[in-house]
Amino acid sequence: MTIISAVIGGLIIGALARLVMPGNQNMSILMTIIIGIIGSALGSWLVSTLFNYDNANGGINWIGVAAGVAVAAVLIAIYMSVTGRRGAGTRV
């Protein structure tokens, strides 16, 4: 169940990160999920490490979600620059 949760969470985080990025990102759904999972894990780790926030009351950790989306957006920008892909709105 944990793997399924990570994939679904990665899809949601990755999709939200792609929504906040300007332009159209030319990348597959698999890369969206992978970047979302990595962004979510790094964002949650950063929030718990830097701010000592552990979400002791349970429920959805909204601060971790926001950090995950921000980290995933940065990872998408890095991925797009490394692969040399351009979105539809960035043609020269």
Side-chain angles (χ1 to χ4, degrees), residues 3-5 8 10 14-15 18 21-23 26 32 39 42 44 52-53 58 68 74 76 81 84 87 92:
I3 294 173
I4 295 171
S5 305
I8 292 172
R18 286 182 69 178
M21 295 283 296
N26 186 16
T32 302
L42 284 175
S44 296
N52 199 20
Y53 182 77
V74 169
I76 288 172
S81 67
V92 178

mmCIF file of all heavy atoms in Angstrom, residues 3-5 8 10 14-15 18 21-23 26 32 39 42 44 52-53 58 68 74 76 81 84 87 92:
data_model
loop_
_atom_site.group_PDB
_atom_site.id
_atom_site.type_symbol
_atom_site.label_atom_id
_atom_site.label_comp_id
_atom_site.label_asym_id
_atom_site.label_seq_id
_atom_site.Cartn_x
_atom_site.Cartn_y
_atom_site.Cartn_z
ATOM 1 N N ILE A 3 3.731 1.771 -1.578
ATOM 2 C CA ILE A 3 4.195 2.082 -2.929
ATOM 3 C C ILE A 3 3.078 2.732 -3.734
ATOM 4 O O ILE A 3 3.306 3.711 -4.447
ATOM 5 C CB ILE A 3 4.723 0.805 -3.627
ATOM 6 C CG1 ILE A 3 5.976 0.320 -2.914
ATOM 7 C CG2 ILE A 3 5.005 1.059 -5.097
ATOM 8 C CD1 ILE A 3 6.481 -1.008 -3.400
ATOM 9 N N ILE A 4 1.875 2.218 -3.601
ATOM 10 C CA ILE A 4 0.733 2.803 -4.311
ATOM 11 C C ILE A 4 0.494 4.229 -3.829
ATOM 12 O O ILE A 4 0.245 5.133 -4.627
ATOM 13 C CB ILE A 4 -0.525 1.938 -4.132
ATOM 14 C CG1 ILE A 4 -0.316 0.576 -4.800
ATOM 15 C CG2 ILE A 4 -1.761 2.626 -4.696
ATOM 16 C CD1 ILE A 4 -1.387 -0.433 -4.501
ATOM 17 N N SER A 5 0.609 4.451 -2.528
ATOM 18 C CA SER A 5 0.447 5.797 -1.977
ATOM 19 C C SER A 5 1.523 6.739 -2.495
ATOM 20 O O SER A 5 1.242 7.898 -2.811
ATOM 21 C CB SER A 5 0.526 5.768 -0.448
ATOM 22 O OG SER A 5 -0.398 4.875 0.082
ATOM 23 N N ILE A 8 0.659 7.597 -6.198
ATOM 24 C CA ILE A 8 -0.476 8.528 -6.286
ATOM 25 C C ILE A 8 -0.070 9.901 -5.762
ATOM 26 O O ILE A 8 -0.373 10.923 -6.371
ATOM 27 C CB ILE A 8 -1.695 7.976 -5.514
ATOM 28 C CG1 ILE A 8 -2.223 6.733 -6.239
ATOM 29 C CG2 ILE A 8 -2.782 9.026 -5.385
ATOM 30 C CD1 ILE A 8 -3.284 5.979 -5.490
ATOM 31 N N GLY A 10 2.983 11.097 -5.672
ATOM 32 C CA GLY A 10 3.922 11.649 -6.647
ATOM 33 C C GLY A 10 3.212 12.216 -7.855
ATOM 34 O O GLY A 10 3.605 13.263 -8.390
ATOM 35 N N GLY A 14 3.565 16.063 -8.579
ATOM 36 C CA GLY A 14 4.132 16.384 -9.884
ATOM 37 C C GLY A 14 3.185 17.188 -10.752
ATOM 38 O O GLY A 14 3.589 18.137 -11.430
ATOM 39 N N ALA A 15 1.901 16.817 -10.730
ATOM 40 C CA ALA A 15 0.911 17.556 -11.523
ATOM 41 C C ALA A 15 0.748 18.977 -11.000
ATOM 42 O O ALA A 15 0.650 19.930 -11.789
ATOM 43 C CB ALA A 15 -0.423 16.821 -11.499
ATOM 44 N N ARG A 18 3.702 20.987 -12.110
ATOM 45 C CA ARG A 18 3.611 21.360 -13.527
ATOM 46 C C ARG A 18 2.597 22.477 -13.730
ATOM 47 O O ARG A 18 2.749 23.295 -14.634
ATOM 48 C CB ARG A 18 3.233 20.145 -14.367
ATOM 49 C CG ARG A 18 4.410 19.190 -14.512
ATOM 50 C CD ARG A 18 4.090 18.020 -15.366
ATOM 51 N NE ARG A 18 3.917 18.428 -16.753
ATOM 52 C CZ ARG A 18 3.660 17.583 -17.730
ATOM 53 N NH1 ARG A 18 3.533 16.297 -17.479
ATOM 54 N NH2 ARG A 18 3.518 18.012 -18.965
ATOM 55 N N MET A 21 4.268 25.840 -12.911
ATOM 56 C CA MET A 21 5.342 26.212 -13.834
ATOM 57 C C MET A 21 4.753 26.934 -15.041
ATOM 58 O O MET A 21 3.712 26.533 -15.548
ATOM 59 C CB MET A 21 6.088 24.962 -14.329
ATOM 60 C CG MET A 21 6.829 24.202 -13.264
ATOM 61 S SD MET A 21 8.360 24.959 -12.792
ATOM 62 C CE MET A 21 9.286 24.853 -14.294
ATOM 63 N N PRO A 22 5.400 27.997 -15.506
ATOM 64 C CA PRO A 22 4.885 28.686 -16.696
ATOM 65 C C PRO A 22 5.165 27.876 -17.958
ATOM 66 O O PRO A 22 6.153 27.145 -18.039
ATOM 67 C CB PRO A 22 5.675 30.001 -16.714
ATOM 68 C CG PRO A 22 6.926 29.685 -15.974
ATOM 69 C CD PRO A 22 6.559 28.646 -14.945
ATOM 70 N N GLY A 23 4.281 27.983 -18.919
ATOM 71 C CA GLY A 23 4.471 27.297 -20.196
ATOM 72 C C GLY A 23 4.036 25.850 -20.135
ATOM 73 O O GLY A 23 3.488 25.368 -19.151
ATOM 74 N N ASN A 26 7.092 19.576 -21.854
ATOM 75 C CA ASN A 26 7.026 18.431 -22.744
ATOM 76 C C ASN A 26 7.701 17.247 -22.062
ATOM 77 O O ASN A 26 8.857 16.937 -22.317
ATOM 78 C CB ASN A 26 7.710 18.772 -24.073
ATOM 79 C CG ASN A 26 7.539 17.679 -25.088
ATOM 80 O OD1 ASN A 26 6.695 16.809 -24.936
ATOM 81 N ND2 ASN A 26 8.344 17.731 -26.124
ATOM 82 N N THR A 32 6.697 12.786 -14.653
ATOM 83 C CA THR A 32 5.929 13.604 -13.706
ATOM 84 C C THR A 32 5.798 12.890 -12.369
ATOM 85 O O THR A 32 5.988 13.494 -11.308
ATOM 86 C CB THR A 32 4.532 13.915 -14.279
ATOM 87 O OG1 THR A 32 4.677 14.588 -15.520
ATOM 88 C CG2 THR A 32 3.724 14.775 -13.322
ATOM 89 N N GLY A 39 10.326 15.040 -5.330
ATOM 90 C CA GLY A 39 10.021 16.359 -4.764
ATOM 91 C C GLY A 39 9.287 16.262 -3.447
ATOM 92 O O GLY A 39 9.564 17.003 -2.499
ATOM 93 N N LEU A 42 11.831 15.015 -0.758
ATOM 94 C CA LEU A 42 12.779 16.076 -0.383
ATOM 95 C C LEU A 42 12.091 17.221 0.347
ATOM 96 O O LEU A 42 12.628 17.763 1.317
ATOM 97 C CB LEU A 42 13.493 16.605 -1.623
ATOM 98 C CG LEU A 42 14.594 15.726 -2.208
ATOM 99 C CD1 LEU A 42 15.120 16.329 -3.501
ATOM 100 C CD2 LEU A 42 15.712 15.553 -1.217
ATOM 101 N N SER A 44 9.295 17.110 2.179
ATOM 102 C CA SER A 44 8.942 16.678 3.536
ATOM 103 C C SER A 44 10.173 16.604 4.425
ATOM 104 O O SER A 44 10.127 16.981 5.596
ATOM 105 C CB SER A 44 8.258 15.314 3.489
ATOM 106 O OG SER A 44 7.052 15.400 2.804
ATOM 107 N N ASN A 52 11.827 21.545 12.091
ATOM 108 C CA ASN A 52 11.453 20.628 13.158
ATOM 109 C C ASN A 52 9.936 20.459 13.248
ATOM 110 O O ASN A 52 9.350 20.448 14.313
ATOM 111 C CB ASN A 52 12.031 21.090 14.494
ATOM 112 C CG ASN A 52 12.070 19.958 15.505
ATOM 113 O OD1 ASN A 52 12.025 18.795 15.140
ATOM 114 N ND2 ASN A 52 12.151 20.307 16.771
ATOM 115 N N TYR A 53 9.293 20.335 12.088
ATOM 116 C CA TYR A 53 7.838 20.198 12.013
ATOM 117 C C TYR A 53 7.514 18.731 11.776
ATOM 118 O O TYR A 53 7.971 18.133 10.810
ATOM 119 C CB TYR A 53 7.295 21.062 10.868
ATOM 120 C CG TYR A 53 5.792 21.019 10.739
ATOM 121 C CD1 TYR A 53 5.001 21.747 11.612
ATOM 122 C CD2 TYR A 53 5.181 20.267 9.752
ATOM 123 C CE1 TYR A 53 3.631 21.719 11.508
ATOM 124 C CE2 TYR A 53 3.813 20.231 9.632
ATOM 125 C CZ TYR A 53 3.037 20.959 10.515
ATOM 126 O OH TYR A 53 1.681 20.923 10.408
ATOM 127 N N GLY A 58 -1.615 14.530 13.016
ATOM 128 C CA GLY A 58 -2.105 13.683 11.939
ATOM 129 C C GLY A 58 -2.748 14.521 10.848
ATOM 130 O O GLY A 58 -2.623 15.742 10.805
ATOM 131 N N GLY A 68 6.841 20.154 -1.093
ATOM 132 C CA GLY A 68 7.014 19.140 -2.129
ATOM 133 C C GLY A 68 6.736 19.689 -3.513
ATOM 134 O O GLY A 68 7.460 19.397 -4.471
ATOM 135 N N VAL A 74 11.169 22.970 -8.982
ATOM 136 C CA VAL A 74 12.596 23.202 -9.235
ATOM 137 C C VAL A 74 13.191 22.010 -9.990
ATOM 138 O O VAL A 74 13.956 22.181 -10.941
ATOM 139 C CB VAL A 74 13.348 23.451 -7.909
ATOM 140 C CG1 VAL A 74 14.858 23.436 -8.115
ATOM 141 C CG2 VAL A 74 12.903 24.761 -7.289
ATOM 142 N N ILE A 76 11.606 19.969 -11.986
ATOM 143 C CA ILE A 76 11.098 20.003 -13.362
ATOM 144 C C ILE A 76 11.913 21.001 -14.181
ATOM 145 O O ILE A 76 12.282 20.717 -15.327
ATOM 146 C CB ILE A 76 9.597 20.350 -13.387
ATOM 147 C CG1 ILE A 76 8.779 19.169 -12.869
ATOM 148 C CG2 ILE A 76 9.146 20.727 -14.801
ATOM 149 C CD1 ILE A 76 7.305 19.468 -12.678
ATOM 150 N N SER A 81 15.893 21.777 -18.418
ATOM 151 C CA SER A 81 17.129 22.385 -18.910
ATOM 152 C C SER A 81 18.181 21.334 -19.258
ATOM 153 O O SER A 81 18.943 21.507 -20.205
ATOM 154 C CB SER A 81 17.681 23.372 -17.886
ATOM 155 O OG SER A 81 18.110 22.699 -16.730
ATOM 156 N N GLY A 84 17.055 19.550 -22.496
ATOM 157 C CA GLY A 84 16.985 20.465 -23.633
ATOM 158 C C GLY A 84 15.607 20.559 -24.250
ATOM 159 O O GLY A 84 15.447 21.096 -25.329
ATOM 160 N N GLY A 87 9.053 23.855 -23.830
ATOM 161 C CA GLY A 87 7.606 23.834 -23.836
ATOM 162 C C GLY A 87 7.066 24.565 -25.048
ATOM 163 O O GLY A 87 7.769 25.222 -25.796
ATOM 164 N N VAL A 92 11.628 29.609 -29.931
ATOM 165 C CA VAL A 92 12.386 30.763 -30.401
ATOM 166 C C VAL A 92 12.391 30.798 -31.904
ATOM 167 O O VAL A 92 12.429 29.868 -32.583
ATOM 168 C CB VAL A 92 13.837 30.715 -29.873
ATOM 169 C CG1 VAL A 92 14.637 31.877 -30.392
ATOM 170 C CG2 VAL A 92 13.818 30.683 -28.374
#
